[in-house]
Amino acid sequence: MSTPPTPQAPQTGPEAGEPTEPQSGGTPGPETPTPGTGETETGDERDENALPAWARAELESTRREAAKYRTRSKEIKTALEAAKTPEEFDQVAARVAELETELHRERLGRTYNLPAVFADLVQGDTDEARDEHAKALAAAYHQRSTGLGSGGLTPDAPTTPTDPAALAALISRGRR
């Protein structure tokens, strides 16, 4: 793997007979001329346009990354300023736990085909305990009755006629 050669700045500025210009911002820095001397503080002019394309691309990438970190830093600072007290955080955490428990109960109700009334009755401190309780409720709710009888009229039983003549015909004649 070869690394790209380190670029050397071309001879520009007072040594090459060209005037130097400060970069945007106008404040003297390491790459801007020192007032009155005509030379830069580091002794060479840093002209971005004279750099090879790969170096300019790397410089732009580094600047974008630095800008990203600056904006992230501002966002974090804003978030820290809006931070809540530990008591408020505990209240929110308790509310989140309550909502998660309620959601878990509803999901268990759908899983075991329980009516909403029974799903609200599911109890337990952990997910496993709630799951076991929901299974027990489902077993009780969905259990088939093996009771004593059919519990009333059956659909295939003959109906009693409502016509008085038909009712009279049902009465046996031997009673007279």
Side-chain angles (χ1 to χ4, degrees):
M1 224 160 76
S2 64
T3 58
T6 306
Q8 294 194 3
Q11 291 292 335
T12 58
E15 299 85 14
E18 297 176 357
T20 59
E21 297 177 3
Q23 289 190 355
S24 64
T27 58
E31 67 273 357
T32 58
T34 306
T37 62
E39 293 185 15
T40 59
E41 291 178 6
T42 58
D44 63 338
E45 178 70 25
R46 294 185 184 178
D47 186 14
E48 291 178 26
N49 295 330
L51 294 175
W54 66 267
R56 280 182 281 170
E58 185 69 27
L59 183 61
E60 285 299 315
S61 171
T62 304
R63 286 182 177 165
R64 280 192 301 271
E65 186 177 352
K68 180 177 70 171
Y69 286 125
R70 281 191 304 270
T71 57
R72 181 71 179 136
S73 173
K74 288 177 185 177
E75 290 172 359
I76 291 173
K77 182 179 177 184
T78 304
L80 284 175
E81 289 172 354
K84 304 290 182 184
T85 64
E87 293 82 21
E88 291 172 330
F89 178 77
D90 291 340
Q91 288 175 350
V92 170
R95 179 68 176 142
V96 166
E98 179 184 326
L99 291 174
E100 286 176 351
T101 301
E102 185 178 326
L103 177 64
H104 189 241
R105 284 184 183 132
E106 289 177 11
R107 286 182 179 164
L108 287 172
R110 283 188 302 248
T111 300
Y112 295 113
N113 296 323
L114 293 172
V117 173
F118 285 136
D120 291 339
L121 295 176
V122 174
Q123 297 176 355
D125 293 333
T126 64
D127 289 347
E128 293 81 20
R130 284 189 292 271
D131 191 38
E132 291 299 319
H133 192 243
K135 284 180 186 176
L137 284 174
Y141 178 73
H142 296 295
Q143 148 182 332
R144 298 275 182 211
S145 174
T146 58
L148 299 172
S150 61
L153 297 175
T154 58
D156 57 346
T159 60
T160 307
T162 58
D163 180 32
L167 283 172
L170 290 175
I171 299 174
S172 64
R173 297 201 179 245
R175 290 188 142 192
R176 293 191 196 171

